[in-house]
Amino acid sequence: KTTITATTSDGASTSITVNVKKAPTKITVVPSGKKSIKKGKSFNIKYILPSGSASFKITYSTSNKKIANVTSAGKVVGLKKGVANITIKTYNKKKSVIKVTVQ
């Protein structure tokens, strides 16, 4: 934790406190393991990082865009019957996978 202060030449100043957290050692997807949804339905993937850690960027990807699509915010949409793996990844390449079955 640190405080950064900027001061102008006429003496005006402002400060901000920055809390730096450690990089995550893992990421856990919620719900874990697998999830079934109906074609045309959706759900939001959530994740858990170890206490005291943070990731400034989380990315989502699908193994099959024709079966299930995933947005940059983690919303999974079932498009067609089948199975797709959705992977979530931290900025430092820690990842977790959920198997999505579209019915």
Side-chain angles (χ1 to χ4, degrees):
K1 190 173 193 179
T2 189
T3 301
I4 300 170
T5 303
T7 306
T8 63
S9 60
D10 66 357
S13 67
T14 188
S15 297
I16 186 169
T17 300
V18 178
N19 188 9
V20 178
K21 294 186 175 188
K22 63 184 175 182
T25 56
K26 69 179 183 174
I27 186 168
T28 305
V29 68
V30 179
S32 64
K34 58 187 175 179
K35 171 100 174 150
S36 294
I37 61 172
K38 301 241 184 238
K39 179 181 166 186
K41 298 296 181 180
S42 65
F43 73 98
N44 291 315
I45 292 179
K46 296 183 187 204
Y47 60 87
I48 300 169
L49 297 174
S51 180
S53 69
S55 181
F56 66 90
K57 182 178 179 185
I58 301 291
T59 56
Y60 302 86
S61 61
T62 179
S63 64
N64 192 328
K65 291 181 181 181
K66 292 179 181 179
I67 302 294
N69 195 20
V70 62
T71 68
S72 61
K75 181 178 181 181
V76 178
V77 180
L79 302 175
K80 177 173 128 174
K81 288 184 179 184
V83 177
N85 290 319
I86 307 297
T87 302
I88 61 172
K89 193 182 296 184
T90 64
Y91 79 94
N92 64 333
K93 309 287 189 239
K94 303 302 178 188
K95 66 181 178 177
S96 187
V97 177
I98 181 171
K99 181 179 180 179
V100 176
T101 302
V102 180
Q103 303 170 339

